């Protein structure tokens, strides 16, 4: 306890930070970067670009995916580029996957994981273990919330554990022109509120079930397009 009249140093309550020389002796860890956003904002394109840039620098990585929209083991972007990937299944241990590559004599410097919202919480924790104990850099890409606007368990765990949270900056617009953030599941011209959490579909209007990005207001109201102009409305022509 401080003596009466003494000056209190506010930094006394803070734990000391190792000096630069001591920090060099600290264990090195990888980093988990979580890139998230609604459909059509370019997450898969960014995943492929990061993998390309890492490989050009001589780094060796694994490209993983969970439920790509194509239904195949690949990362596919809506702008037309794709890359073969390893499909992650229920119950897969990502640590064991990396160790199997080590056993084959391959280096694994980084992981790129697309559709990471579909990972289980245990699989996200395995990514954290690989980052901390094996110095593997992890790049995860996905959407945060499902068609009910509730957070996916895998996405929630990534928000809790990731070193970096990066909203993808390409803006996606609702039909009204406002920024869209909600991935509505649509069938028969109406927004669905119930169903399986995981249903892989695209934004193609020809599909029986599709997805449409909406702003919060139109997601709540279930409105998918503007109402036609009433003939009784005044015209400026």
């Amino acid at each position: 306890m401080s003596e009466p009249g003494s000056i209190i140093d506010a930094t006394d309550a803070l734990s000391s930070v190792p000096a630069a020389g001591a920090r060099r002796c600290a264990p090195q860890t990888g980093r988990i970067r979580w890139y998230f956003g609604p459909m059509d904002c370019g997450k898969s394109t960014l995943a492929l670009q990061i993998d390309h840039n890492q490989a050009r620098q001589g780094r060796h990585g694994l490209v993983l995916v969970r439920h790509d929209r194509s239904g195949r083991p690949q990362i596919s972007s809506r702008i037309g580029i794709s890359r073969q990937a390893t499909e992650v299944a229920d119950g897969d241990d990502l640590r064991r996957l990396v160790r199997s590559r080590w056993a084959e004599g391959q280096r694994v410097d980084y992981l790129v994981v697309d559709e990471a919202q579909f990972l289980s919480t245990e699989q996200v924790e395995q990514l954290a273990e690989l980052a901390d104990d094996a110095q593997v850099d992890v790049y995860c890409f996905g959407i945060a919330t499902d068609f009910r606007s509730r957070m996916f368990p895998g996405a929630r765990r990534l928000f809790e554990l990731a070193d970096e949270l990066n909203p993808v900056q390409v803006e996606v617009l609702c039909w009204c022109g406002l920024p869209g953030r909600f991935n509505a599941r649509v069938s028969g011209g109406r927004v669905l509120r119930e169903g399986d959490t995981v249903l892989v579909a695209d934004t193609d209007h020809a599909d029986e079930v599709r997805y449409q990005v909406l702003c919060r207001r139109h997601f709540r109201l279930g409105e998918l397009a503007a109402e036609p102009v009433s003939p009784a409305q005044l015209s400026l022509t």
Side-chain angles (χ1 to χ4, degrees):
M1 186 172 180
S2 302
E3 294 294 332
S6 64
I7 298 175
I8 298 175
D9 185 352
T11 63
D12 284 348
L14 303 178
S15 58
S16 60
V17 176
R23 287 200 299 272
R24 295 191 191 100
C25 301
Q28 297 298 308
T29 63
R31 296 183 67 79
I32 301 177
R33 297 168 173 87
W34 168 223
Y35 298 86
F36 59 94
M39 289 185 169
D40 293 331
C41 73
K43 300 180 298 298
S44 296
T45 305
L46 180 59
L48 294 170
Q49 183 66 57
I50 286 179
D51 174 54
H52 173 74
N53 290 350
Q54 293 283 318
R56 283 196 63 185
Q57 297 303 317
R59 305 191 81 204
H60 298 263
L62 288 179
V63 179
L64 310 178
V65 70
R66 181 84 169 112
H67 296 316
D68 185 73
R69 66 181 68 87
S70 67
R72 295 189 293 273
Q74 65 178 19
I75 296 178
S76 59
S77 169
R78 290 188 177 89
I79 66 172
I81 58 176
S82 63
R83 187 196 190 290
Q84 287 299 113
T86 299
E87 180 77 23
V88 177
D90 290 335
D92 280 355
D93 188 325
L94 303 184
R95 300 164 301 183
R96 188 174 300 167
L97 176 63
V98 171
R99 290 179 187 132
S100 69
R101 300 303 174 99
W102 291 340
E104 296 169 359
Q106 300 180 31
R107 268 176 37 209
V108 179
D109 301 312
Y110 66 93
L111 298 175
V112 171
V113 188
D114 199 22
E115 307 294 355
Q117 74 275 4
F118 294 135
L119 298 178
S120 67
T121 55
E122 292 79 12
Q123 287 169 332
V124 174
E125 289 162 4
Q126 291 162 12
L127 293 176
E129 184 175 328
L130 287 168
D132 292 342
D133 298 343
Q135 297 81 51
V136 175
D137 288 321
V138 180
Y139 300 87
C140 290
F141 303 82
I143 59 179
T145 57
D146 63 20
F147 73 102
R148 303 165 301 174
S149 75
R150 297 173 186 169
M151 199 169 290
F152 285 99
R156 181 185 298 112
R157 199 67 180 126
L158 281 165
F159 278 114
E160 293 166 346
L161 293 182
D163 299 287
E164 297 180 16
L165 305 177
N166 301 293
V168 178
Q169 297 299 317
V170 177
E171 189 171 64
V172 181
L173 299 180
C174 177
W175 59 263
C176 67
L178 292 176
R181 188 165 65 86
F182 296 86
N183 305 291
R185 184 183 292 174
V186 179
S187 179
R190 64 186 184 90
V191 174
L192 303 181
R193 307 294 185 183
E194 296 180 352
D196 293 336
T197 303
V198 178
L199 176 63
V200 179
D202 213 329
T203 54
D204 186 350
H205 288 251
D207 291 337
E208 181 179 350
V209 178
R210 63 182 178 86
Y211 288 96
Q212 182 172 339
V213 179
L214 299 174
C215 67
R216 183 178 61 235
R217 180 172 185 270
H218 290 123
F219 176 80
R220 287 192 306 103
L221 297 176
E223 294 181 356
L224 299 175
E227 293 294 329
V229 178
S230 168
Q233 187 170 345
L234 292 177
S235 173
L236 298 179
T237 60

